[in-house]
């Protein structure tokens, strides 16, 4: 039972254009969402997060949008750069008891930014 | 550099063997999490420790165990290894959950790549 889904395994975008990565979740207890970027042979790197009390969070070229009613979030990268080429993971967190807030990850979307 | 260190970077062993993976969290972080990433799989949560105590368990096999020491470093022990245990194992750390947000960002180490032959 996949609680966090990234339905697009891959995405190709021209340099300078917008990249939109999507993520859906099913668990209503999730109240905090994160995006991580991962290069081969490295650990995931935290990019941006959003709390369920907000619907948008922006950090430079990265913006995350949250639609709670649809249980959907998206990451927008504008403008896309070749260095953004990586696998992007969506993750969700909520209190799963005893104060534990482990992350549930999607399977990732491989973004390729074409020069 | 996230500040989380993991050793070794690579590990090759045989079926039936036992290995120990080590993780040092970021300075000041009290929580350590272990994740497994198998081929074509996302990261699967295994287990969490907070200030030396087990806090939560995920999809961790009985052959696997972990602990967090007084200096807050953590070790993941994998025993009776099988071919299917070949994967990337990541450690992450975070500060204690805040009272207001209830959740905090986790910072990941570079991982240990385990190959069981």
């Amino acid at each position: 039972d996949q609680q966090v889904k990234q339905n697009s395994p891959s995405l190709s975008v021209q340099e300078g254009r917008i990249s939109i990565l999507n993520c859906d979740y099913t668990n209503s207890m999730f109240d905090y969402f994160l995006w991580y970027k991962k290069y081969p042979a490295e650990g995931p790197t935290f990019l941006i997060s959003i709390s369920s009390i907000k619907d948008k969070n922006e950090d430079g070229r990265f913006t995350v949008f949250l639609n709670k009613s649809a249980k959907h979030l998206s990451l927008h990268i504008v403008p896309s750069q070749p260095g953004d080429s990586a696998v992007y993971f969506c993750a969700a967190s909520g209190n799963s008891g005893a104060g534990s807030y482990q992350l549930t990850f999607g399977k990732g979307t491989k973004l390729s930014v074409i020069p | 550099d996230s500040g989380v260190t993991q050793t070794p970077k690579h590990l090759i062993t045989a079926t039936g063997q036992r290995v120990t993976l080590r993780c040092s969290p970021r300075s000041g972080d009290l929580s350590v999490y272990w994740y497994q990433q198998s081929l074509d799989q996302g990261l699967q949560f295994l287990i969490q420790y907070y200030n030396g105590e087990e806090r939560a368990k995920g999809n961790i096999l009985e052959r696997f165990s972990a602990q967090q020491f007084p200096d807050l470093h953590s070790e993941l022990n994998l025993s009776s290894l099988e071919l299917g245990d070949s994967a990337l194992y990541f450690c992450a750390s975070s500060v204690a959950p805040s009272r207001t947000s209830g959740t905090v960002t986790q910072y990941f180490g570079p991982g240990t790549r385990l190959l069981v032959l």
Side-chain angles (χ1 to χ4, degrees), chain B residues 31-52:
Chain B
S31 264
V32 169
Y33 308 77
W34 286 97
Y35 292 85
Q36 179 193 57
Q37 185 183 22
S38 303
L39 195 63
D40 296 332
Q41 294 291 319
L43 289 95
Q44 300 286 322
F45 168 69
L46 295 178
I47 196 165
Q48 177 200 2
Y49 277 81
Y50 171 64
N51 204 18

Side-chain angles (χ1 to χ4, degrees), chain A residues 31-32 34 36 38 41-46 49 51 89 93-108, chain B residues 9 33 35 37 40-43 45 48 55-57 88 90 97-98 101-111 113:
Chain A
D31 61 1
Y32 197 75
L34 308 91
Y36 286 84
K38 187 180 181 302
E42 294 184 12
T45 301
F46 169 70
S49 62
S51 165
F89 289 97
S93 174
N95 189 347
S96 54
S100 173
Y101 299 95
Q102 71 263 30
L103 299 179
T104 301
F105 282 85
K107 291 192 176 183
Chain B
K9 195 168 179 62
Y33 308 77
Y35 292 85
Q37 185 183 22
D40 296 332
Q41 294 291 319
L43 289 95
F45 168 69
Q48 177 200 2
R55 182 58 68 94
K57 268 187 173 180
L88 273 167
F90 290 103
S98 69
S101 72
T103 186
V104 292
T105 299
Q106 295 178 24
Y107 295 89
F108 283 77
R113 182 175 292 278

Side-chain angles (χ1 to χ4, degrees), chain B residues 5-81:
Chain B
T5 60
Q6 288 186 250
T7 57
K9 195 168 179 62
H10 301 278
L11 198 49
I12 301 175
T13 188
T15 54
Q17 295 298 305
R18 171 191 166 95
V19 296
T20 297
L21 313 183
R22 182 187 168 103
C23 167
S24 292
R26 294 187 320 158
S27 176
D29 284 358
L30 298 178
S31 264
V32 169
Y33 308 77
W34 286 97
Y35 292 85
Q36 179 193 57
Q37 185 183 22
S38 303
L39 195 63
D40 296 332
Q41 294 291 319
L43 289 95
Q44 300 286 322
F45 168 69
L46 295 178
I47 196 165
Q48 177 200 2
Y49 277 81
Y50 171 64
N51 204 18
E53 294 188 0
E54 182 183 303
R55 182 58 68 94
K57 268 187 173 180
N59 301 319
I60 187 166
L61 300 171
E62 285 191 11
R63 300 183 285 109
F64 295 0
S65 65
Q67 53 184 327
Q68 186 178 27
F69 295 86
D71 67 353
L72 300 177
H73 91 270
S74 177
E75 292 181 356
L76 178 67
N77 301 297
L78 315 177
S79 61
S80 303
L81 285 168

Side-chain angles (χ1 to χ4, degrees), chain A residues 33-72:
Chain A
F33 304 89
L34 308 91
W35 285 94
Y36 286 84
K37 173 181 177 181
K38 187 180 181 302
Y39 293 117
E42 294 184 12
T45 301
F46 169 70
L47 262 181
I48 192 168
S49 62
I50 187 166
S51 165
S52 59
I53 62 174
K54 295 185 176 181
D55 55 17
K56 176 183 174 181
N57 189 25
E58 192 171 354
D59 184 1
R61 296 186 297 115
F62 302 91
T63 303
V64 56
F65 295 92
L66 175 62
N67 182 335
K68 282 190 297 182
S69 60
K71 293 191 175 68
H72 176 84

